[in-house]
Structure formats: structure tokens, C-alpha cells
Amino acid sequence: MDTDLKREIIMDNYQDPMNKGLVEDDSYIMTNTNSESCIDNLDFMMKVENNIIKDIRFDGEACAISTSASSIMIRSLIGKTIDEAKKILLNYTNMIQEKDFDMDIVGELGVYDDIAKQPSRKNCALMPSTAIYKLLAILEEKSK
């Protein structure tokens, strides 16, 4: 993907992120993720019904990478089954960590495929996946 197009997608999702803002609804599970190295501090909430991710929301203070990655990830995961979401998360995390991944599975999140050129930004790009993994673990614990 062209570098200018990647930048445009990232900036669009930073300036007008999808599903930013939390809701008061007990059917959601919630978690927080933050960075030890910068100001990024985000709350995430997710609603799952019949093994399908119905909604994900986030809010907080974060840089352009964390905010845009959260927006794009939310768009990528809503409507997916838990197993489909785990596959996307695994491939995305592998991409950020410079391991083998499938670009077809990563989809639009592929705009971060060269984030490794800025190692200090990896944590920013991983914030939403870290939060979603936490939410999935909470969901799994609740279902026991």
C-alpha cells in the first residue's frame, strides 16, 4: 500500500475515530489499557451476543497511532465471531512484532505493516489488541 494512502487512513481514523465514547450498559464488559512510556490511557468496552462481537467502544487519551489503530481494529472486529477475532488479533500482533502473518486476514490494519521502522510506536499500535485480548479473557472467565 502506498505510504501516502497509509498516512491518510491513519489520520482519518485519528481525527474521526469509529466508536469513540463509552456507553452505560451492563451488557458490555470493560477494561483499561495504558502505556508505561507515554500518555496513552484507553478504556475499551465490548458487547458479545451468541459468540458474535456486536459492539466495541473506546475512550481516553492517546496518540494518533493508538487512536487510529483502535478505530480500525473496532471496524475489523465488529460482526466477527470470537474465533475470527482471535485470528485477526493474532495476525495483527504478529505483523507488529515482525513475525509471520497473513495480510489478507489483517485487512485494513495492514496500514501499520511498517510500524517496526519506528520501534517506539509498536506499543502504541498494540494498545487496542492488548485491550481486546483482555476483554476476551474476561469473557472467557465469565463463561466458566
Side-chain angles (χ1 to χ4, degrees):
M1 186 182 301
D2 174 72
T3 303
D4 290 335
L5 180 57
K6 286 181 186 180
R7 181 171 172 72
E8 182 179 332
I9 291 169
I10 290 168
M11 290 311 295
D12 284 349
N13 281 277
Y14 170 63
Q15 293 169 342
D16 188 23
M18 179 176 181
N19 285 16
K20 188 164 186 210
L22 304 178
V23 295
E24 288 192 35
D25 185 333
D26 292 339
S27 65
Y28 285 75
I29 53 176
M30 188 168 175
T31 195
N32 174 271
T33 188
N34 57 54
S35 173
E36 296 176 8
S37 61
C38 67
I39 65 164
D40 293 353
N41 185 4
L42 294 172
D43 292 316
F44 280 79
M45 56 192 317
M46 180 170 67
K47 182 175 186 171
V48 176
E49 293 176 350
N50 300 318
N51 201 43
I52 304 288
I53 297 173
K54 294 295 186 178
D55 193 23
I56 304 172
R57 307 201 58 84
F58 79 104
D59 206 356
E61 188 171 2
C63 69
I65 299 298
S66 293
T67 301
S68 62
S70 296
S71 177
I72 296 169
M73 183 164 290
I74 286 169
R75 189 169 45 255
S76 300
L77 297 180
I78 290 177
K80 302 289 191 289
T81 66
I82 299 301
D83 287 342
E84 290 169 331
K86 286 179 179 178
K87 189 180 282 189
I88 292 168
L89 290 166
L90 175 64
N91 278 273
Y92 175 75
T93 302
N94 283 349
M95 178 184 71
I96 300 300
Q97 298 291 0
E98 301 178 83
K99 298 178 183 174
D100 289 338
F101 71 97
D102 185 333
M103 184 63 89
D104 290 334
I105 293 172
V106 171
E108 189 179 10
L109 287 162
V111 298
Y112 302 102
D113 67 345
D114 60 358
I115 203 80
K117 293 176 184 174
Q118 303 173 58
S120 64
R121 305 303 289 197
K122 281 184 176 183
N123 187 49
C124 302
L126 288 171
M127 284 196 68
S129 57
T130 299
I132 303 299
Y133 275 127
K134 286 181 185 179
L135 290 169
L136 292 173
I138 292 167
L139 186 66
E140 190 174 301
E141 188 62 33
K142 281 185 159 190
S143 69
K144 288 183 179 180

mmCIF file with all atom_site columns, all heavy atoms in Angstrom, residues 107-129:
data_model
loop_
_atom_site.group_PDB
_atom_site.id
_atom_site.type_symbol
_atom_site.label_atom_id
_atom_site.label_alt_id
_atom_site.label_comp_id
_atom_site.label_asym_id
_atom_site.label_entity_id
_atom_site.label_seq_id
_atom_site.pdbx_PDB_ins_code
_atom_site.Cartn_x
_atom_site.Cartn_y
_atom_site.Cartn_z
_atom_site.occupancy
_atom_site.B_iso_or_equiv
_atom_site.pdbx_formal_charge
_atom_site.auth_seq_id
_atom_site.auth_comp_id
_atom_site.auth_asym_id
_atom_site.auth_atom_id
_atom_site.pdbx_PDB_model_num
ATOM 1   N N   . GLY A 1 107 ? -6.160  -7.322 6.812  1.00 0.00 ? 107 GLY A N   1
ATOM 2   C CA  . GLY A 1 107 ? -7.006  -6.357 6.115  1.00 0.00 ? 107 GLY A CA  1
ATOM 3   C C   . GLY A 1 107 ? -6.510  -4.932 6.255  1.00 0.00 ? 107 GLY A C   1
ATOM 4   O O   . GLY A 1 107 ? -5.310  -4.651 6.135  1.00 0.00 ? 107 GLY A O   1
ATOM 5   N N   . GLU A 1 108 ? -7.413  -4.012 6.553  1.00 0.00 ? 108 GLU A N   1
ATOM 6   C CA  . GLU A 1 108 ? -7.090  -2.584 6.637  1.00 0.00 ? 108 GLU A CA  1
ATOM 7   C C   . GLU A 1 108 ? -6.063  -2.284 7.731  1.00 0.00 ? 108 GLU A C   1
ATOM 8   O O   . GLU A 1 108 ? -5.330  -1.304 7.650  1.00 0.00 ? 108 GLU A O   1
ATOM 9   C CB  . GLU A 1 108 ? -8.359  -1.762 6.876  1.00 0.00 ? 108 GLU A CB  1
ATOM 10  C CG  . GLU A 1 108 ? -8.138  -0.278 6.758  1.00 0.00 ? 108 GLU A CG  1
ATOM 11  C CD  . GLU A 1 108 ? -9.388  0.556  6.976  1.00 0.00 ? 108 GLU A CD  1
ATOM 12  O OE1 . GLU A 1 108 ? -10.422 0.013  7.401  1.00 0.00 ? 108 GLU A OE1 1
ATOM 13  O OE2 . GLU A 1 108 ? -9.316  1.773  6.723  1.00 0.00 ? 108 GLU A OE2 1
ATOM 14  N N   . LEU A 1 109 ? -5.986  -3.148 8.750  1.00 0.00 ? 109 LEU A N   1
ATOM 15  C CA  . LEU A 1 109 ? -4.974  -2.957 9.796  1.00 0.00 ? 109 LEU A CA  1
ATOM 16  C C   . LEU A 1 109 ? -3.559  -3.053 9.217  1.00 0.00 ? 109 LEU A C   1
ATOM 17  O O   . LEU A 1 109 ? -2.593  -2.676 9.873  1.00 0.00 ? 109 LEU A O   1
ATOM 18  C CB  . LEU A 1 109 ? -5.167  -3.993 10.907 1.00 0.00 ? 109 LEU A CB  1
ATOM 19  C CG  . LEU A 1 109 ? -6.384  -3.742 11.801 1.00 0.00 ? 109 LEU A CG  1
ATOM 20  C CD1 . LEU A 1 109 ? -6.758  -5.014 12.560 1.00 0.00 ? 109 LEU A CD1 1
ATOM 21  C CD2 . LEU A 1 109 ? -6.112  -2.594 12.753 1.00 0.00 ? 109 LEU A CD2 1
ATOM 22  N N   . GLY A 1 110 ? -3.430  -3.512 8.000  1.00 0.00 ? 110 GLY A N   1
ATOM 23  C CA  . GLY A 1 110 ? -2.149  -3.592 7.319  1.00 0.00 ? 110 GLY A CA  1
ATOM 24  C C   . GLY A 1 110 ? -1.480  -2.242 7.116  1.00 0.00 ? 110 GLY A C   1
ATOM 25  O O   . GLY A 1 110 ? -0.304  -2.177 6.763  1.00 0.00 ? 110 GLY A O   1
ATOM 26  N N   . VAL A 1 111 ? -2.203  -1.143 7.371  1.00 0.00 ? 111 VAL A N   1
ATOM 27  C CA  . VAL A 1 111 ? -1.576  0.182  7.260  1.00 0.00 ? 111 VAL A CA  1
ATOM 28  C C   . VAL A 1 111 ? -0.428  0.322  8.252  1.00 0.00 ? 111 VAL A C   1
ATOM 29  O O   . VAL A 1 111 ? 0.417   1.206  8.089  1.00 0.00 ? 111 VAL A O   1
ATOM 30  C CB  . VAL A 1 111 ? -2.581  1.350  7.433  1.00 0.00 ? 111 VAL A CB  1
ATOM 31  C CG1 . VAL A 1 111 ? -3.638  1.331  6.341  1.00 0.00 ? 111 VAL A CG1 1
ATOM 32  C CG2 . VAL A 1 111 ? -3.189  1.370  8.816  1.00 0.00 ? 111 VAL A CG2 1
ATOM 33  N N   . TYR A 1 112 ? -0.378  -0.550 9.255  1.00 0.00 ? 112 TYR A N   1
ATOM 34  C CA  . TYR A 1 112 ? 0.696   -0.491 10.261 1.00 0.00 ? 112 TYR A CA  1
ATOM 35  C C   . TYR A 1 112 ? 1.804   -1.506 9.986  1.00 0.00 ? 112 TYR A C   1
ATOM 36  O O   . TYR A 1 112 ? 2.623   -1.772 10.859 1.00 0.00 ? 112 TYR A O   1
ATOM 37  C CB  . TYR A 1 112 ? 0.119   -0.717 11.668 1.00 0.00 ? 112 TYR A CB  1
ATOM 38  C CG  . TYR A 1 112 ? -0.944  0.284  12.004 1.00 0.00 ? 112 TYR A CG  1
ATOM 39  C CD1 . TYR A 1 112 ? -2.288  -0.048 11.933 1.00 0.00 ? 112 TYR A CD1 1
ATOM 40  C CD2 . TYR A 1 112 ? -0.597  1.588  12.339 1.00 0.00 ? 112 TYR A CD2 1
ATOM 41  C CE1 . TYR A 1 112 ? -3.266  0.894  12.200 1.00 0.00 ? 112 TYR A CE1 1
ATOM 42  C CE2 . TYR A 1 112 ? -1.564  2.536  12.601 1.00 0.00 ? 112 TYR A CE2 1
ATOM 43  C CZ  . TYR A 1 112 ? -2.901  2.176  12.535 1.00 0.00 ? 112 TYR A CZ  1
ATOM 44  O OH  . TYR A 1 112 ? -3.863  3.113  12.788 1.00 0.00 ? 112 TYR A OH  1
ATOM 45  N N   . ASP A 1 113 ? 1.868   -2.033 8.771  1.00 0.00 ? 113 ASP A N   1
ATOM 46  C CA  . ASP A 1 113 ? 2.839   -3.095 8.481  1.00 0.00 ? 113 ASP A CA  1
ATOM 47  C C   . ASP A 1 113 ? 4.293   -2.652 8.542  1.00 0.00 ? 113 ASP A C   1
ATOM 48  O O   . ASP A 1 113 ? 5.188   -3.486 8.660  1.00 0.00 ? 113 ASP A O   1
ATOM 49  C CB  . ASP A 1 113 ? 2.547   -3.770 7.143  1.00 0.00 ? 113 ASP A CB  1
ATOM 50  C CG  . ASP A 1 113 ? 2.762   -2.854 5.945  1.00 0.00 ? 113 ASP A CG  1
ATOM 51  O OD1 . ASP A 1 113 ? 2.868   -1.623 6.116  1.00 0.00 ? 113 ASP A OD1 1
ATOM 52  O OD2 . ASP A 1 113 ? 2.808   -3.387 4.814  1.00 0.00 ? 113 ASP A OD2 1
ATOM 53  N N   . ASP A 1 114 ? 4.546   -1.357 8.519  1.00 0.00 ? 114 ASP A N   1
ATOM 54  C CA  . ASP A 1 114 ? 5.939   -0.910 8.621  1.00 0.00 ? 114 ASP A CA  1
ATOM 55  C C   . ASP A 1 114 ? 6.201   -0.133 9.915  1.00 0.00 ? 114 ASP A C   1
ATOM 56  O O   . ASP A 1 114 ? 7.170   0.600  10.030 1.00 0.00 ? 114 ASP A O   1
ATOM 57  C CB  . ASP A 1 114 ? 6.351   -0.100 7.393  1.00 0.00 ? 114 ASP A CB  1
ATOM 58  C CG  . ASP A 1 114 ? 5.517   1.154  7.188  1.00 0.00 ? 114 ASP A CG  1
ATOM 59  O OD1 . ASP A 1 114 ? 4.578   1.390  7.970  1.00 0.00 ? 114 ASP A OD1 1
ATOM 60  O OD2 . ASP A 1 114 ? 5.808   1.898  6.237  1.00 0.00 ? 114 ASP A OD2 1
ATOM 61  N N   . ILE A 1 115 ? 5.344   -0.320 10.909 1.00 0.00 ? 115 ILE A N   1
ATOM 62  C CA  . ILE A 1 115 ? 5.498   0.380  12.195 1.00 0.00 ? 115 ILE A CA  1
ATOM 63  C C   . ILE A 1 115 ? 6.810   -0.008 12.875 1.00 0.00 ? 115 ILE A C   1
ATOM 64  O O   . ILE A 1 115 ? 7.350   0.757  13.673 1.00 0.00 ? 115 ILE A O   1
ATOM 65  C CB  . ILE A 1 115 ? 4.281   0.124  13.122 1.00 0.00 ? 115 ILE A CB  1
ATOM 66  C CG1 . ILE A 1 115 ? 4.144   1.226  14.172 1.00 0.00 ? 115 ILE A CG1 1
ATOM 67  C CG2 . ILE A 1 115 ? 4.353   -1.219 13.805 1.00 0.00 ? 115 ILE A CG2 1
ATOM 68  C CD1 . ILE A 1 115 ? 3.506   2.459  13.689 1.00 0.00 ? 115 ILE A CD1 1
ATOM 69  N N   . ALA A 1 116 ? 7.351   -1.161 12.534 1.00 0.00 ? 116 ALA A N   1
ATOM 70  C CA  . ALA A 1 116 ? 8.613   -1.614 13.132 1.00 0.00 ? 116 ALA A CA  1
ATOM 71  C C   . ALA A 1 116 ? 9.769   -0.667 12.807 1.00 0.00 ? 116 ALA A C   1
ATOM 72  O O   . ALA A 1 116 ? 10.774  -0.656 13.515 1.00 0.00 ? 116 ALA A O   1
ATOM 73  C CB  . ALA A 1 116 ? 8.940   -3.026 12.668 1.00 0.00 ? 116 ALA A CB  1
ATOM 74  N N   . LYS A 1 117 ? 9.607   0.140  11.761 1.00 0.00 ? 117 LYS A N   1
ATOM 75  C CA  . LYS A 1 117 ? 10.636  1.136  11.444 1.00 0.00 ? 117 LYS A CA  1
ATOM 76  C C   . LYS A 1 117 ? 10.719  2.202  12.530 1.00 0.00 ? 117 LYS A C   1
ATOM 77  O O   . LYS A 1 117 ? 11.684  2.942  12.597 1.00 0.00 ? 117 LYS A O   1
ATOM 78  C CB  . LYS A 1 117 ? 10.347  1.787  10.092 1.00 0.00 ? 117 LYS A CB  1
ATOM 79  C CG  . LYS A 1 117 ? 10.476  0.835  8.926  1.00 0.00 ? 117 LYS A CG  1
ATOM 80  C CD  . LYS A 1 117 ? 10.091  1.510  7.629  1.00 0.00 ? 117 LYS A CD  1
ATOM 81  C CE  . LYS A 1 117 ? 10.127  0.529  6.473  1.00 0.00 ? 117 LYS A CE  1
ATOM 82  N NZ  . LYS A 1 117 ? 9.623   1.125  5.233  1.00 0.00 ? 117 LYS A NZ  1
ATOM 83  N N   . GLN A 1 118 ? 9.674   2.279  13.344 1.00 0.00 ? 118 GLN A N   1
ATOM 84  C CA  . GLN A 1 118 ? 9.627   3.196  14.484 1.00 0.00 ? 118 GLN A CA  1
ATOM 85  C C   . GLN A 1 118 ? 9.353   2.355  15.736 1.00 0.00 ? 118 GLN A C   1
ATOM 86  O O   . GLN A 1 118 ? 8.230   2.311  16.222 1.00 0.00 ? 118 GLN A O   1
ATOM 87  C CB  . GLN A 1 118 ? 8.499   4.212  14.305 1.00 0.00 ? 118 GLN A CB  1
ATOM 88  C CG  . GLN A 1 118 ? 8.581   5.033  13.046 1.00 0.00 ? 118 GLN A CG  1
ATOM 89  C CD  . GLN A 1 118 ? 7.318   5.867  12.891 1.00 0.00 ? 118 GLN A CD  1
ATOM 90  O OE1 . GLN A 1 118 ? 6.983   6.657  13.768 1.00 0.00 ? 118 GLN A OE1 1
ATOM 91  N NE2 . GLN A 1 118 ? 6.621   5.690  11.793 1.00 0.00 ? 118 GLN A NE2 1
ATOM 92  N N   . PRO A 1 119 ? 10.353  1.669  16.244 1.00 0.00 ? 119 PRO A N   1
ATOM 93  C CA  . PRO A 1 119 ? 10.143  0.726  17.352 1.00 0.00 ? 119 PRO A CA  1
ATOM 94  C C   . PRO A 1 119 ? 9.399   1.308  18.554 1.00 0.00 ? 119 PRO A C   1
ATOM 95  O O   . PRO A 1 119 ? 8.638   0.600  19.214 1.00 0.00 ? 119 PRO A O   1
ATOM 96  C CB  . PRO A 1 119 ? 11.557  0.306  17.741 1.00 0.00 ? 119 PRO A CB  1
ATOM 97  C CG  . PRO A 1 119 ? 12.379  0.557  16.529 1.00 0.00 ? 119 PRO A CG  1
ATOM 98  C CD  . PRO A 1 119 ? 11.748  1.727  15.832 1.00 0.00 ? 119 PRO A CD  1
ATOM 99  N N   . SER A 1 120 ? 9.578   2.582  18.812 1.00 0.00 ? 120 SER A N   1
ATOM 100 C CA  . SER A 1 120 ? 8.889   3.197  19.952 1.00 0.00 ? 120 SER A CA  1
ATOM 101 C C   . SER A 1 120 ? 7.380   3.266  19.729 1.00 0.00 ? 120 SER A C   1
ATOM 102 O O   . SER A 1 120 ? 6.624   3.473  20.680 1.00 0.00 ? 120 SER A O   1
ATOM 103 C CB  . SER A 1 120 ? 9.438   4.597  20.216 1.00 0.00 ? 120 SER A CB  1
ATOM 104 O OG  . SER A 1 120 ? 9.176   5.444  19.114 1.00 0.00 ? 120 SER A OG  1
ATOM 105 N N   . ARG A 1 121 ? 6.918   3.088  18.495 1.00 0.00 ? 121 ARG A N   1
ATOM 106 C CA  . ARG A 1 121 ? 5.487   3.168  18.176 1.00 0.00 ? 121 ARG A CA  1
ATOM 107 C C   . ARG A 1 121 ? 4.796   1.795  18.214 1.00 0.00 ? 121 ARG A C   1
ATOM 108 O O   . ARG A 1 121 ? 3.573   1.724  18.127 1.00 0.00 ? 121 ARG A O   1
ATOM 109 C CB  . ARG A 1 121 ? 5.293   3.794  16.797 1.00 0.00 ? 121 ARG A CB  1
ATOM 110 C CG  . ARG A 1 121 ? 5.945   5.159  16.631 1.00 0.00 ? 121 ARG A CG  1
ATOM 111 C CD  . ARG A 1 121 ? 5.477   6.143  17.641 1.00 0.00 ? 121 ARG A CD  1
ATOM 112 N NE  . ARG A 1 121 ? 4.094   6.483  17.327 1.00 0.00 ? 121 ARG A NE  1
ATOM 113 C CZ  . ARG A 1 121 ? 3.449   7.529  17.785 1.00 0.00 ? 121 ARG A CZ  1
ATOM 114 N NH1 . ARG A 1 121 ? 4.048   8.361  18.588 1.00 0.00 ? 121 ARG A NH1 1
ATOM 115 N NH2 . ARG A 1 121 ? 2.209   7.761  17.466 1.00 0.00 ? 121 ARG A NH2 1
ATOM 116 N N   . LYS A 1 122 ? 5.570   0.726  18.349 1.00 0.00 ? 122 LYS A N   1
ATOM 117 C CA  . LYS A 1 122 ? 4.963   -0.604 18.387 1.00 0.00 ? 122 LYS A CA  1
ATOM 118 C C   . LYS A 1 122 ? 3.944   -0.713 19.519 1.00 0.00 ? 122 LYS A C   1
ATOM 119 O O   . LYS A 1 122 ? 2.856   -1.245 19.328 1.00 0.00 ? 122 LYS A O   1
ATOM 120 C CB  . LYS A 1 122 ? 6.030   -1.691 18.568 1.00 0.00 ? 122 LYS A CB  1
ATOM 121 C CG  . LYS A 1 122 ? 6.785   -2.043 17.331 1.00 0.00 ? 122 LYS A CG  1
ATOM 122 C CD  . LYS A 1 122 ? 7.729   -3.196 17.658 1.00 0.00 ? 122 LYS A CD  1
ATOM 123 C CE  . LYS A 1 122 ? 8.463   -3.683 16.466 1.00 0.00 ? 122 LYS A CE  1
ATOM 124 N NZ  . LYS A 1 122 ? 9.315   -4.836 16.780 1.00 0.00 ? 122 LYS A NZ  1
ATOM 125 N N   . ASN A 1 123 ? 4.315   -0.230 20.705 1.00 0.00 ? 123 ASN A N   1
ATOM 126 C CA  . ASN A 1 123 ? 3.408   -0.302 21.844 1.00 0.00 ? 123 ASN A CA  1
ATOM 127 C C   . ASN A 1 123 ? 2.112   0.455  21.559 1.00 0.00 ? 123 ASN A C   1
ATOM 128 O O   . ASN A 1 123 ? 1.030   0.001  21.928 1.00 0.00 ? 123 ASN A O   1
ATOM 129 C CB  . ASN A 1 123 ? 4.082   0.244  23.106 1.00 0.00 ? 123 ASN A CB  1
ATOM 130 C CG  . ASN A 1 123 ? 3.245   0.027  24.338 1.00 0.00 ? 123 ASN A CG  1
ATOM 131 O OD1 . ASN A 1 123 ? 2.752   -1.072 24.587 1.00 0.00 ? 123 ASN A OD1 1
ATOM 132 N ND2 . ASN A 1 123 ? 3.073   1.075  25.121 1.00 0.00 ? 123 ASN A ND2 1
ATOM 133 N N   . CYS A 1 124 ? 2.223   1.582  20.893 1.00 0.00 ? 124 CYS A N   1
ATOM 134 C CA  . CYS A 1 124 ? 1.029   2.372  20.538 1.00 0.00 ? 124 CYS A CA  1
ATOM 135 C C   . CYS A 1 124 ? 0.108   1.561  19.622 1.00 0.00 ? 124 CYS A C   1
ATOM 136 O O   . CYS A 1 124 ? -1.107  1.528  19.823 1.00 0.00 ? 124 CYS A O   1
ATOM 137 C CB  . CYS A 1 124 ? 1.432   3.662  19.831 1.00 0.00 ? 124 CYS A CB  1
ATOM 138 S SG  . CYS A 1 124 ? 2.538   4.721  20.790 1.00 0.00 ? 124 CYS A SG  1
ATOM 139 N N   . ALA A 1 125 ? 0.697   0.910  18.644 1.00 0.00 ? 125 ALA A N   1
ATOM 140 C CA  . ALA A 1 125 ? -0.079  0.120  17.696 1.00 0.00 ? 125 ALA A CA  1
ATOM 141 C C   . ALA A 1 125 ? -0.681  -1.122 18.346 1.00 0.00 ? 125 ALA A C   1
ATOM 142 O O   . ALA A 1 125 ? -1.714  -1.628 17.897 1.00 0.00 ? 125 ALA A O   1
ATOM 143 C CB  . ALA A 1 125 ? 0.795   -0.271 16.507 1.00 0.00 ? 125 ALA A CB  1
ATOM 144 N N   . LEU A 1 126 ? -0.043  -1.612 19.407 1.00 0.00 ? 126 LEU A N   1
ATOM 145 C CA  . LEU A 1 126 ? -0.534  -2.821 20.085 1.00 0.00 ? 126 LEU A CA  1
ATOM 146 C C   . LEU A 1 126 ? -1.580  -2.543 21.161 1.00 0.00 ? 126 LEU A C   1
ATOM 147 O O   . LEU A 1 126 ? -2.214  -3.480 21.658 1.00 0.00 ? 126 LEU A O   1
ATOM 148 C CB  . LEU A 1 126 ? 0.643   -3.591 20.696 1.00 0.00 ? 126 LEU A CB  1
ATOM 149 C CG  . LEU A 1 126 ? 1.546   -4.301 19.699 1.00 0.00 ? 126 LEU A CG  1
ATOM 150 C CD1 . LEU A 1 126 ? 2.786   -4.838 20.391 1.00 0.00 ? 126 LEU A CD1 1
ATOM 151 C CD2 . LEU A 1 126 ? 0.794   -5.424 18.984 1.00 0.00 ? 126 LEU A CD2 1
ATOM 152 N N   . MET A 1 127 ? -1.781  -1.293 21.536 1.00 0.00 ? 127 MET A N   1
ATOM 153 C CA  . MET A 1 127 ? -2.734  -0.998 22.612 1.00 0.00 ? 127 MET A CA  1
ATOM 154 C C   . MET A 1 127 ? -4.135  -1.566 22.373 1.00 0.00 ? 127 MET A C   1
ATOM 155 O O   . MET A 1 127 ? -4.688  -2.203 23.265 1.00 0.00 ? 127 MET A O   1
ATOM 156 C CB  . MET A 1 127 ? -2.794  0.499  22.886 1.00 0.00 ? 127 MET A CB  1
ATOM 157 C CG  . MET A 1 127 ? -1.581  0.968  23.673 1.00 0.00 ? 127 MET A CG  1
ATOM 158 S SD  . MET A 1 127 ? -1.780  2.573  24.420 1.00 0.00 ? 127 MET A SD  1
ATOM 159 C CE  . MET A 1 127 ? -3.014  2.238  25.653 1.00 0.00 ? 127 MET A CE  1
ATOM 160 N N   . PRO A 1 128 ? -4.725  -1.380 21.196 1.00 0.00 ? 128 PRO A N   1
ATOM 161 C CA  . PRO A 1 128 ? -6.080  -1.930 21.032 1.00 0.00 ? 128 PRO A CA  1
ATOM 162 C C   . PRO A 1 128 ? -6.114  -3.457 21.067 1.00 0.00 ? 128 PRO A C   1
ATOM 163 O O   . PRO A 1 128 ? -7.030  -4.037 21.644 1.00 0.00 ? 128 PRO A O   1
ATOM 164 C CB  . PRO A 1 128 ? -6.539  -1.388 19.676 1.00 0.00 ? 128 PRO A CB  1
ATOM 165 C CG  . PRO A 1 128 ? -5.306  -0.959 18.979 1.00 0.00 ? 128 PRO A CG  1
ATOM 166 C CD  . PRO A 1 128 ? -4.308  -0.600 20.036 1.00 0.00 ? 128 PRO A CD  1
ATOM 167 N N   . SER A 1 129 ? -5.120  -4.115 20.493 1.00 0.00 ? 129 SER A N   1
ATOM 168 C CA  . SER A 1 129 ? -5.129  -5.585 20.536 1.00 0.00 ? 129 SER A CA  1
ATOM 169 C C   . SER A 1 129 ? -4.923  -6.083 21.960 1.00 0.00 ? 129 SER A C   1
ATOM 170 O O   . SER A 1 129 ? -5.555  -7.060 22.379 1.00 0.00 ? 129 SER A O   1
ATOM 171 C CB  . SER A 1 129 ? -4.090  -6.180 19.578 1.00 0.00 ? 129 SER A CB  1
ATOM 172 O OG  . SER A 1 129 ? -2.794  -5.721 19.858 1.00 0.00 ? 129 SER A OG  1
#
